[in-house]
Amino acid sequence: MMQPLPIRFVLVDTSHPGNIGAVARAMKNMALTDLVLVNPRVFPDAEATARASGADDVLASARVVPTVAEAVADCSYVMATTARERDHYFRVLDARDAALQLVERAREAAPGAAVAVLFGTERFGLTNEQLAAAQALLRIPANPEYQSLNIAMAAQLIGYEIYMARRDGTGASVLAPREAPLAAADDYERLYEHLQQVMDEVGFRDRTQSGTHLMARIRRFLNRAELDTNEANILRGLLTAIQKRRRVAGGQTP
Amino acid sequence: MMQPLPIRFVLVDTSHPGNIGAVARAMKNMALTDLVLVNPRVFPDAEATARASGADDVLASARVVPTVAEAVADCSYVMATTARERDHYFRVLDARDAALQLVERAREAAPGAAVAVLFGTERFGLTNEQLAAAQALLRIPANPEYQSLNIAMAAQLIGYEIYMARRDGTGASVLAPREAPLAAADDYERLYEHLQQVMDEVGFRDRTQSGTHLMARIRRFLNRAELDTNEANILRGLLTAIQKRRRVAGGQTP
């Protein structure tokens, strides 16, 4: 019997309830049970239950939430599936390397924390906004002339690689040891809100594009840094110091 | 573009035409095209075509034959899928090792010859008679408490392992390409000097340890982010905005 590991599959805006059931079955086949549904079109549904086959327990315990942010709030590491081979901002790992990372990070997760894999809609994948919580992208190697994998097939393959990575024992450690647990998505959100306040207060704006764009850039590279909670606190502390000093100096006006 | 390799999937006594279509799609996703159907209950069928999605070419070229013997007559190596972990007569390889064997044997196959993977019925697998043509068994590692994989899922996983085995040794994980060159050590030094200035100006110090220690922490996680020059400039711009605003507000004193 395998020890449980806190690895979550998050299905975002899924159109077909049958796919949700098939994902539940694929997860259970690979000893995974934590399923979260973001804004599914139809759920629960008879078609989902039929396709889940013997995995109705996974389906029954699935949580439904309205946003990706809520789905990963307690997650210290988030990977998003993609069909792209390269990306401007994210590291792209193939499914095998990604599974090793996920397992290792799940093993070192703080009590109550989890790691997550995001799956986008059947037709359009994930939006940039939904990608904001991700630390890296996961890609399944496939025929370049016919890449379009069904979502349940993708979940099956990723679950399988996770199963293989767990089975093969510890493997070579690739991560630097941490003195504190990784920051969770919630910690990042508070950090980015705080940073946005300071940016507004000092009038730091993108000269060529919208402020949203600038913030998105900053989020991407800070996500990439994979901050631990101490490091996130250092940044929060610096932001607080900047705000205090400005107020002491009488710089209250925006 | 991958060189074609003579690897055949053989579906035996398949009950559900939808599964045949899903297998065709899974094969094409993994750059396989040679599909043979032994005695399918219903074929062709609208459900098979629907599930094949963009892989109707694989479906259209599928051959239908009455026996396993006929399906593998030209095959120099045959593996049969199984759910058993051990077997009295056959070697049992897991899907990864099996894929390496299949690819190697397909590469050394004589012109006109092929290697084959047999898939049994959804409910009962393969009979001993059908196994008679096999050289070895292939097993997909899965949750011992819930092993029952859908036939199309099994074809997807085996096809994926074959695809991975065919790929050149080097992994396909790639780093995010940059829109700007990576920041050089010099750029980092200027950034950190600038940051130290702002930290001094706002009186942000380590309460428990020396300022050097705090700066070392920040350097570590910003280094980890692997900033490009644009990203380093965004941070420099933010620091400058913070300093300007403080000076405008009269906050010149340290």
Side-chain angles (χ1 to χ4, degrees):
Chain A
M1 181 57 202
M2 238 171 211
Q3 290 300 311
L5 255 195
I7 299 183
R8 178 177 305 161
F9 278 14
V10 178
L11 308 189
V12 183
D13 295 335
T14 315
S15 305
H16 301 294
N19 283 335
I20 296 174
V23 169
R25 179 174 176 183
M27 288 177 68
K28 188 164 177 179
N29 280 144
M30 296 301 157
L32 298 169
T33 56
D34 185 1
L35 175 60
V36 175
L37 309 172
V38 176
N39 191 33
R41 195 175 58 79
V42 193
F43 187 81
D45 181 86
E47 173 73 5
T49 310
R51 293 283 296 279
S53 196
D56 13 12
D57 51 341
V58 174
L59 209 56
S61 65
R63 282 190 299 130
V64 178
V65 299
T67 63
V68 172
E70 213 163 310
V72 301
D74 57 345
C75 290
S76 50
Y77 189 69
V78 178
M79 272 196 174
T81 53
T82 184
R84 293 175 224 160
E85 253 181 88
R86 289 159 195 289
D87 188 90
H88 276 307
Y89 302 108
F90 289 105
R91 257 180 98 196
V92 180
L93 296 171
D94 75 15
R96 189 158 297 169
D97 291 341
L100 291 169
Q101 290 276 328
L102 287 163
V103 167
E104 199 150 343
R105 290 179 197 270
R107 283 186 176 139
E108 67 172 20
V115 305
V117 184
L118 303 183
F119 296 83
T121 63
E122 290 91 337
R123 293 191 58 195
F124 305 110
L126 293 158
T127 66
N128 284 335
E129 202 190 336
Q130 290 163 344
L131 283 175
Q135 263 89 30
L137 301 183
L138 178 164
R139 183 178 165 273
I140 295 173
N143 184 356
E145 285 158 33
Y146 186 61
Q147 301 224 29
S148 124
L149 274 164
N150 169 275
I151 184 174
M153 292 293 189
Q156 182 74 70
L157 287 175
I158 295 166
Y160 165 77
E161 284 288 11
I162 289 169
Y163 191 86
M164 293 296 281
R166 292 172 72 177
R167 203 187 62 150
D168 291 349
T170 48
S173 181
V174 287
L175 298 174
R178 310 242 169 234
E179 37 181 65
L182 283 176
D186 255 7
D187 301 321
Y188 276 101
E189 286 314 313
R190 282 194 296 267
L191 171 62
Y192 294 136
E193 275 164 32
H194 198 164
L195 180 60
Q196 187 66 61
Q197 274 176 25
V198 170
M199 285 166 61
D200 291 344
E201 287 174 21
V202 303
F204 182 56
R205 284 184 204 89
D206 200 317
R207 257 153 285 156
T208 54
Q209 281 153 297
S210 73
T212 322
H213 175 75
L214 188 59
M215 194 56 188
R217 296 288 311 264
I218 294 175
R219 290 176 75 115
R220 272 185 222 120
F221 68 71
L222 281 181
N223 277 1
R224 227 158 51 211
E226 296 176 16
L227 303 175
D228 68 27
T229 49
N230 284 349
E231 292 165 343
N233 286 336
I234 288 174
L235 283 176
R236 295 286 306 274
L238 174 57
L239 293 171
T240 302
I242 289 166
Q243 290 179 310
K244 269 199 198 139
R245 178 54 57 140
R246 285 193 60 247
R247 282 164 192 162
V248 166
Q252 297 281 18
T253 48
Chain B
M1 180 58 198
M2 240 173 208
Q3 291 301 311
L5 253 196
I7 299 183
R8 176 177 306 162
F9 279 12
V10 178
L11 309 190
V12 183
D13 295 335
T14 314
S15 306
H16 301 293
N19 283 335
I20 296 174
V23 169
R25 179 174 175 182
M27 288 176 68
K28 186 163 178 180
N29 281 144
M30 296 301 157
L32 298 169
T33 55
D34 185 1
L35 175 61
V36 175
L37 309 172
V38 176
N39 190 33
R41 195 175 58 81
V42 194
F43 187 83
D45 181 85
E47 173 74 4
T49 311
R51 293 284 297 278
S53 195
D56 13 12
D57 51 340
V58 174
L59 211 56
S61 65
R63 281 190 300 131
V64 178
V65 298
T67 63
V68 173
E70 212 163 312
V72 300
D74 57 345
C75 291
S76 53
Y77 188 69
V78 178
M79 273 195 174
T81 52
T82 184
R84 294 175 224 161
E85 255 181 87
R86 293 161 194 289
D87 188 272
H88 278 306
Y89 303 108
F90 289 104
R91 251 181 101 196
V92 180
L93 297 171
D94 77 13
R96 190 158 297 169
D97 292 341
L100 291 168
Q101 288 278 328
L102 287 163
V103 167
E104 199 155 339
R105 290 177 197 269
R107 283 186 175 140
E108 65 184 19
V115 305
V117 183
L118 303 183
F119 296 83
T121 63
E122 290 92 335
R123 292 188 60 193
F124 305 110
L126 294 157
T127 65
N128 284 335
E129 201 191 335
Q130 290 164 344
L131 283 175
Q135 263 89 29
L137 302 184
L138 178 165
R139 184 180 165 273
I140 295 173
N143 184 356
E145 286 159 32
Y146 187 63
Q147 302 224 28
S148 127
L149 274 164
N150 169 275
I151 184 175
M153 291 293 188
Q156 182 75 71
L157 287 175
I158 295 166
Y160 165 77
E161 284 289 10
I162 290 169
Y163 190 86
M164 293 295 282
R166 291 172 72 180
R167 257 180 11 168
D168 293 335
T170 53
S173 295
V174 288
L175 298 174
R178 309 270 164 203
E179 36 179 63
L182 281 178
D186 255 8
D187 301 319
Y188 275 101
E189 285 316 312
R190 282 195 295 269
L191 171 61
Y192 294 136
E193 276 164 32
H194 198 165
L195 181 60
Q196 187 65 62
Q197 275 176 24
V198 170
M199 284 166 63
D200 291 345
E201 287 175 20
V202 303
F204 182 56
R205 284 183 203 89
D206 201 316
R207 258 154 285 157
T208 55
Q209 280 153 297
S210 72
T212 323
H213 175 75
L214 188 60
M215 195 57 186
R217 295 291 310 267
I218 294 176
R219 292 176 76 114
R220 238 178 274 139
F221 68 71
L222 279 181
N223 280 355
R224 224 158 53 212
E226 296 175 20
L227 303 174
D228 67 27
T229 49
N230 284 350
E231 292 165 344
N233 285 336
I234 288 174
L235 284 176
R236 296 285 308 273
L238 175 58
L239 293 171
T240 301
I242 290 165
Q243 291 180 310
K244 267 197 201 143
R245 181 52 59 138
R246 284 193 61 249
R247 283 166 191 159
V248 166
Q252 295 281 17
T253 48

